[in-house]
Amino acid sequence: MLLNDQQVRAMTKGIARIDVKNGYYHFLRFTEAEQASYVNHPRKPSFYNATLQSASVRWALRTDSEFLEFDFSNGAENNLSTPVFDVYENGALCRTVKIELQYVRSGHLYIPLSKGEKLVEIYFPYSAYVMVANVAIADGASFEAASRKYKMLTYGDSLTHGGAASTPSFSYAPRLAAMLNADIINKAVAGEHFYPPVVCEKTAEEPDWITVAYGTNDWKHCTKEEFDENCTSVLQKLTDFYPDKPIFVITPSWRSDYNVETPFGAPATEIYAQILKNAEHFPNVTVIRGWDLIPHNTDFFGDNRLHPNNLGFDIYAANIYRKIIPHLIKKIGYSFD
């Protein structure tokens, strides 16, 4: 049974819009205006390509179908990263599917599911993208799009985009969202710093809270004066758009080269103090010290330097959760139901 356009859109979470070309859906995290801000990015024009990637995008549906299937295409000649999908049933990871686009640039994917009604969640790739068409479940099967109780908006760099996680659901942003029972829209771009132009409009659905996790690339590439201007501008824009929403700024986590001299200065922990100072002017902003959230040991990092591996991300997500839960309970009446 082919799912209709309304059903596909209803079950797709974490997107700002959908482009449809020749019957294929391309799920996009950024609005047209946000994406346009990356066309002429002053530091790295290739960041635009990252806006096409589907970090934290997922399907969520309740069904008794014993399979879900769809056609896929890589969408572009230069899009040769290996897409990885995680498939969950009732909150448990039951399979991971990889598509080697170097060898197969289009095809059909069939995902077996267990018997009976269950919540099915399929996480899309964070470092690649595929376009999908002809999404189907078993004839006569039940279908209900599923949503979580809360909505979370997140901005950030490579850690928020996905980092060195082996599969899309193992990076911290989707993990944290699942722990908080929140649908997430992820505006992260790997390599990015505080970039005011991307904060150019409100989301279509207002979030219950926002997280912002930049700083490590600012430390590598910006002077203190540039950083102050960019950081303050981003916080001001977010506060203007969401004056009553909690905003959590997560400062950079440990990195093995933290004592390297950069345009900002050394060590990297100086970024925390600067963000704390900049955030003083915004009463709805809470600063979380990222330096304390991951063990200072390269065994927890996929590249032995900066990007957490699966275990590192697990600890990182759990510690962020522990830090922000008291604020959410106090500020928005968060409940665990």
Side-chain angles (χ1 to χ4, degrees), residues 63-68 89 110-116 118 137-138 141:
T63 183
D64 58 4
S65 178
E66 295 182 19
F67 68 86
L68 186 149
E89 292 187 16
Y110 179 93
I111 300 173
L113 301 172
S114 63
K115 294 183 178 181
K118 60 269 175 188
I137 58 178

Side-chain angles (χ1 to χ4, degrees), residues 7-307:
Q7 290 171 317
V8 172
R9 290 175 184 270
M11 74 178 186
T12 305
K13 310 299 177 181
I15 59 171
R17 71 187 206 275
I18 299 175
D19 279 351
V20 183
K21 298 179 181 177
N22 300 320
Y24 278 82
Y25 292 93
H26 184 190
F27 303 120
L28 294 161
R29 303 175 286 140
F30 293 83
T31 66
E32 291 183 0
E34 291 168 338
Q35 208 165 33
S37 75
Y38 279 100
V39 171
N40 296 306
H41 193 285
R43 186 162 67 83
K44 200 168 184 181
S46 64
F47 282 166
Y48 176 83
N49 294 330
T51 69
L52 304 175
Q53 298 167 352
S54 46
S56 300
V57 173
R58 81 185 204 287
W59 282 338
L61 65 151
R62 295 189 180 277
T63 183
D64 58 4
S65 178
E66 295 182 19
F67 68 86
L68 186 149
E69 60 184 338
F70 55 89
D71 296 330
F72 66 84
S73 169
N74 73 329
E77 287 296 318
N78 61 352
N79 175 31
L80 294 180
S81 297
T82 301
V84 181
F85 295 84
D86 281 336
V87 182
Y88 282 71
E89 292 187 16
N90 296 325
L93 178 66
C94 60
R95 67 183 70 249
T96 294
V97 181
K98 296 183 179 182
I99 302 173
E100 297 291 344
L101 288 180
Q102 293 91 331
Y103 311 106
V104 181
R105 294 191 175 185
S106 63
H108 185 80
L109 190 59
Y110 179 93
I111 300 173
L113 301 172
S114 63
K115 294 183 178 181
E117 185 174 311
K118 60 269 175 188
L119 171 65
V120 177
E121 295 173 288
I122 299 178
Y123 287 81
F124 276 64
Y126 68 80
S127 61
Y129 73 91
V130 291
M131 300 173 70
V132 302
N134 299 320
V135 185
I137 58 178
D139 288 344
S142 61
F143 172 91
E144 181 186 1
S147 296
R148 294 172 178 167
K149 182 176 180 178
Y150 296 100
K151 290 180 173 56
M152 171 179 166
L153 173 62
T154 187
Y155 294 85
D157 52 33
S158 54
L159 269 69
T160 307
H161 195 144
S166 63
T167 66
S169 68
F170 276 44
S171 58
Y172 92 85
R175 284 191 183 204
L176 179 62
M179 294 166 69
L180 290 168
N181 193 19
D183 289 328
I184 177 176
I185 184 163
N186 188 335
K187 305 287 188 180
V189 167
E192 186 59 289
H193 54 11
F194 279 96
Y195 182 54
V198 74
V199 188
C200 58
E201 58 187 341
K202 294 183 68 171
T203 55
E205 294 184 89
E206 191 158 307
D208 293 290
W209 64 84
I210 300 121
T211 66
V212 182
Y214 299 111
T216 197
N217 296 304
D218 305 74
W219 172 70
K220 287 296 292 289
H221 299 286
C222 298
T223 65
K224 287 186 177 179
E225 293 73 22
E226 291 169 333
F227 176 78
D228 280 350
E229 181 179 351
N230 292 334
C231 176
T232 301
S233 179
V234 166
L235 295 182
Q236 184 66 64
K237 286 186 169 189
L238 287 173
T239 299
D240 289 344
F241 285 137
Y242 309 103
D244 302 318
K245 303 299 180 181
I247 300 172
F248 300 96
V249 179
I250 305 163
T251 65
S253 58
W254 181 83
R255 52 187 296 162
S256 63
D257 57 352
Y258 66 91
N259 266 325
V260 172
E261 189 68 29
T262 72
F264 186 94
T269 47
E270 292 299 310
I271 280 280
Y272 167 73
Q274 199 63 48
I275 291 176
L276 200 62
K277 181 179 179 181
N278 293 343
E280 288 178 350
H281 310 290
F282 305 101
N284 58 329
V285 172
T286 300
V287 178
I288 296 173
R289 182 176 161 89
W291 202 256
D292 306 325
L293 303 180
I294 303 179
H296 299 183
N297 184 319
T298 55
D299 290 345
F300 296 88
F301 292 79
D303 57 4
N304 297 314
R305 181 180 67 92
L306 171 63
H307 298 99

